[in-house]
Amino acid sequence: MKRLYFTVLCLYMVCTGATATTTEELSANGMSKAPKASTSIHADHKHHTRVGSHGMVLFTDGAELYASHLPLYYSPHDYQLIYTVVSQHKAKLIAYLQAGSTSHSNMVTLLPENFDLNKLVDGERFSIPAQFYKGHFERGGTKWLGKSELIFEKLLLKRRLVKQYKPSHSDDDSVTDELDEKWTSISLGDKYLYIHLIGERPSFDALFIVDDCQTTLENKQGESVPSKAQINEVFSHCGSPVLVYFETQDFAY
């Protein structure tokens, strides 16, 4: 019976000129079980969204405001991103951040309304309503200044994290990261921002603002996850070093 069906199908195709040009069409006609060709749809972040709740930590060099995305190892949060930002509360935010700069006591985080993180990955300039918090918004922080428009002005740093997925967050996107340097720096006018490049677990996120570093920063540390005292020692030779952010919990084992 199958041979008869196949013969009739072939005669139909010959008579009508019909052809099956894709593996999907062949399979639909019962002629092939060939697997679908692999695609690179997940090779570029633009092929899928990173819409979600993307928290930021706010910091300042005394002149401008900057926001650093709080990354995680899995999508949609798997990018280190630093932007200059503009807020109507600029003066009040800078004063508060600088008042706690030596004791690291005055942390400010912000939570924009849900948006696609690819807008920041692509370096877009846009505004979005955001809520400021004194402290970490997920760890007991309190709302401050009310919700207001925040402008993401200019992309300063973009870096994809190594993928170390939890099963529930896995997708087909994969990244390898040959990490040689542990720190990178950005010029902020007459100051420099040093950013720790988050590596494989266990690792940490850290931001330092310094006046200058006359000698080469030592990239190799004694511990993969240093204490605050140890990380401050790394920058002890730099001018007026200020640790503006330090996080280990999200990158522990």
Side-chain angles (χ1 to χ4, degrees):
M1 189 68 184
K2 289 183 178 179
R3 179 177 297 177
L4 176 61
Y5 169 77
F6 183 79
T7 301
V8 172
L9 178 60
C10 290
L11 287 172
Y12 170 79
M13 293 176 68
V14 170
C15 292
T16 62
T19 59
T21 58
T22 69
T23 55
E24 289 86 351
E25 288 171 332
L26 290 170
S27 180
N29 288 328
M31 296 177 64
S32 173
K33 295 296 183 182
K36 294 181 181 180
S38 62
T39 67
S40 60
I41 191 168
H42 294 288
D44 190 325
H45 70 266
K46 292 181 181 178
H47 290 286
H48 57 88
T49 66
R50 284 189 166 80
V51 175
S53 177
H54 299 293
M56 315 269 170
V57 63
L58 198 70
F59 64 97
T60 185
D61 59 356
E64 302 296 338
L65 289 171
Y66 306 91
S68 177
H69 175 236
L70 302 177
L72 296 169
Y73 284 120
Y74 51 83
S75 182
H77 310 290
D78 52 338
Y79 269 92
Q80 284 183 272
L81 295 159
I82 296 177
Y83 253 78
T84 56
V85 294
V86 176
S87 167
Q88 68 187 65
H89 305 297
K90 177 180 178 179
K92 185 173 292 187
L93 289 164
I94 288 178
Y96 180 78
L97 289 167
Q98 288 195 304
S101 62
T102 55
S103 61
H104 317 302
S105 58
N106 289 2
M107 171 187 279
V108 175
T109 56
L110 61 96
L111 186 62
E113 292 185 352
N114 284 9
F115 72 101
D116 190 342
L117 194 70
N118 287 331
K119 292 168 71 74
L120 296 185
V121 173
D122 291 338
E124 293 185 27
R125 181 187 184 277
F126 65 98
S127 65
I128 188 170
Q131 175 64 59
F132 294 99
Y133 290 78
K134 287 185 177 180
H136 197 301
F137 70 94
E138 289 183 322
R139 302 174 190 171
T142 57
K143 290 183 179 181
W144 185 39
L145 301 177
K147 185 175 286 190
S148 60
E149 288 294 313
L150 181 79
I151 300 174
F152 287 101
E153 184 72 25
K154 182 180 180 182
L155 176 64
L156 300 181
L157 178 128
K158 172 181 73 175
R159 177 177 174 271
R160 188 83 174 273
L161 265 65
V162 176
K163 288 305 181 70
Q164 299 181 64
Y165 285 116
K166 299 177 182 178
S168 61
H169 294 93
S170 62
D171 63 24
D172 296 330
D173 208 353
S174 62
V175 169
T176 57
D177 192 347
E178 299 296 332
L179 187 60
D180 294 323
E181 298 297 316
K182 290 188 177 181
W183 296 89
T184 190
S185 63
I186 297 171
S187 174
L188 302 178
D190 58 351
K191 296 181 183 293
Y192 293 89
L193 171 66
Y194 279 84
I195 306 106
H196 182 255
L197 305 178
I198 300 168
E200 295 182 359
R201 295 182 189 272
S203 191
F204 62 97
D205 193 0
L207 303 171
F208 260 93
I209 290 181
V210 303
D211 288 345
D212 195 11
C213 281
Q214 297 297 329
T215 58
T216 302
L217 183 67
E218 178 57 52
N219 282 312
K220 296 185 181 300
Q221 294 145 191
E223 301 290 338
S224 57
V225 181
S227 65
K228 278 190 176 180
Q230 289 171 323
I231 198 172
N232 275 298
E233 179 62 26
V234 173
F235 287 85
S236 61
H237 66 281
C238 300
S240 304
V242 177
L243 176 61
V244 295
Y245 182 65
F246 184 55
E247 166 64 27
T248 62
Q249 181 174 318
D250 288 335
F251 312 102
Y253 282 120

